[in-house]
Amino acid sequence: QTIMALKYLREMLICRPCESVRPQFIYLCIDNLKRHRSVPQSLELVIYLFNMSNMKHNNNWIPASQWTKKLLTTEGLFKAFIEDFENYEKLVAEYCAKGGKIDNDSVVAGKQKHVYNLERRLYFLQYTLQNTAEGTELGEENIQRLCYLFIDNAGSEYDTKKFLNWPSSKDELRGPSYLFSPKETQQIFTIICRSRPKLIHLGLSHYKCFANYFKLINLEPKSFETNEDIILVTNFDKLLGVDQLWDCVRYCQQEETLSLFIELLISLYTNLGPEHNLEKRVDIMKSFVDRCLKTVM
């Protein structure tokens, strides 16, 4: 019934006579966010209204980037969003403490499934960050709070996997778009590596998470190129995260996951581009052998 009500509300708001009240609904939705009330539906409606504002035939056309800037300034949007996420994840922790199991069919609070509550919040964060003024970031404090919520004090492994494997999305026309700035991605990668004991048991999900962020932090220095799963290292000395990758190889206890970490590691030392002359290649292989010996001792 809630989903149907949301559908009918959207159909009403798209009508031209309702143009003047659309901003009021945006503020009402943000108020719901602050009150932790019907949050996923409210966030879904906000995105819908932002997209309507981007239609140039709208007489009161305001780009989504201006709306997000306005809400960040006047409504403390990121702060309200993080506080709501903390409130919801507290409910998740209580649900798990009572013996509840988190999966795609779980209902933690209200009538909607947990996966709907979680993914709508993550998608809203993604949409907001991708539709803000250039240079706007979530901020170090908010990154720390999110990572504490989903890594250091996670209510469930399900939510940890969802958050850590949500760094980017692909659009058929525009290609990949990234949730966090390079600086923020590096910050999260550092936290992921620092929290290795909490994550290593996640197995393949831990590898996927590490590999995603490893590739993201190496985008800006352009230390390697990728073609699907094949890596060609263009500047070995600029690679970031190699020490952390060695740590994963050293401490991983699951055979299948370990083989993937090793495969990634070997590809970095052997798939070297023409920018590396013979002498440099020999030095890189010597360093590889030395690290192997240290790792097994």
Side-chain angles (χ1 to χ4, degrees):
Q1 292 180 346
T2 305
I3 301 299
M4 289 300 296
L6 185 61
K7 177 186 175 183
Y8 292 137
L9 180 58
R10 289 200 305 254
E11 290 178 356
M12 180 191 75
L13 290 172
I14 201 171
C15 299
R16 192 169 293 276
C18 292
E19 280 184 10
S20 60
V21 301
R22 291 173 193 166
Q24 297 176 36
F25 274 89
I26 289 178
Y27 286 108
L28 286 171
C29 288
I30 300 304
D31 187 59
N32 280 347
L33 175 68
K34 293 178 179 179
R35 295 172 181 267
H36 317 307
R37 184 176 59 194
S38 302
V39 172
Q41 297 90 341
S42 297
L43 298 181
E44 192 173 332
L45 183 59
V46 166
I47 291 175
Y48 182 76
L49 291 170
F50 281 175
N51 287 333
M52 286 171 61
S53 296
N54 282 334
M55 298 177 186
K56 293 188 177 180
H57 66 264
N58 188 333
N59 293 333
N60 300 314
W61 178 53
I62 301 176
S65 59
Q66 288 187 23
W67 264 117
T68 53
K69 181 180 179 181
K70 193 173 184 179
L71 294 174
L72 286 169
T73 303
T74 63
E75 299 295 322
L77 182 59
F78 283 158
K79 181 176 181 290
F81 176 82
I82 299 296
E83 288 178 352
D84 171 73
F85 230 149
E86 290 171 337
N87 178 75
Y88 181 73
E89 285 299 317
K90 182 180 178 181
L91 298 178
V92 174
E94 292 172 354
Y95 175 85
C96 293
K98 294 176 181 177
K101 182 181 179 182
I102 298 294
D103 55 31
N104 288 335
D105 295 319
S106 301
V107 178
V108 173
K111 298 180 180 180
Q112 302 302 324
K113 291 182 179 180
H114 173 62
V115 64
Y116 175 81
N117 276 280
L118 182 60
E119 289 188 349
R120 285 298 178 277
R121 285 172 167 87
L122 287 172
Y123 180 68
F124 179 78
L125 177 61
Q126 175 181 320
Y127 181 92
T128 303
L129 287 170
Q130 291 170 357
N131 287 277
T132 54
E134 188 175 350
T136 301
E137 296 181 345
L138 188 58
E140 183 175 344
E141 180 183 347
N142 288 327
I143 290 288
Q144 292 281 358
R145 289 172 71 178
L146 275 178
C147 288
Y148 178 78
L149 194 60
F150 288 103
I151 300 177
D152 297 324
N153 196 39
S156 75
E157 289 184 5
Y158 181 95
D159 291 18
T160 298
K161 293 175 185 178
K162 280 285 185 182
F163 172 71
L164 290 179
N165 290 309
W166 197 286
S168 64
S169 63
K170 289 186 178 179
D171 184 294
E172 291 182 2
L173 297 177
R174 294 181 296 177
S177 55
Y178 302 102
L179 180 55
F180 302 110
S181 69
K183 178 183 175 183
E184 292 172 332
T185 303
Q186 176 72 60
Q187 186 182 349
I188 294 176
F189 182 79
T190 301
I191 293 171
I192 291 169
C193 295
R194 183 197 69 200
S195 305
R196 185 192 64 246
K198 295 178 179 290
L199 299 175
I200 203 73
H201 67 285
L202 296 181
L204 293 176
S205 291
H206 179 226
Y207 168 77
K208 182 181 176 183
C209 162
F210 182 96
N212 278 342
Y213 278 90
F214 182 81
K215 291 176 182 178
L216 288 175
I217 64 171
N218 281 288
L219 278 176
E220 193 170 278
K222 296 180 180 179
S223 46
F224 62 70
E225 299 173 354
T226 59
N227 182 8
E228 294 183 354
D229 293 329
I230 300 173
I231 289 178
L232 179 67
V233 178
T234 54
N235 193 327
F236 186 87
D237 292 334
K238 285 189 176 182
L239 280 173
L240 302 174
V242 176
D243 289 340
Q244 291 87 341
L245 177 54
W246 277 102
D247 281 344
C248 289
V249 170
R250 183 175 183 180
Y251 294 106
C252 184
Q253 298 176 356
Q254 299 187 24
E255 186 175 344
E256 186 178 1
T257 310
L258 175 60
S259 67
L260 291 172
F261 278 122
I262 292 174
E263 184 179 332
L264 175 59
L265 188 62
I266 291 175
S267 69
L268 296 176
Y269 281 85
T270 57
N271 295 346
L272 301 172
E275 298 84 357
H276 305 84
N277 58 32
L278 180 59
E279 183 180 359
K280 182 63 176 177
R281 289 168 182 262
V282 171
D283 288 341
I284 290 172
M285 286 309 300
K286 283 182 178 178
S287 68
F288 176 74
V289 173
D290 289 341
R291 292 292 293 264
C292 286
L293 292 174
K294 291 178 181 178
T295 300
V296 300
M297 290 179 65

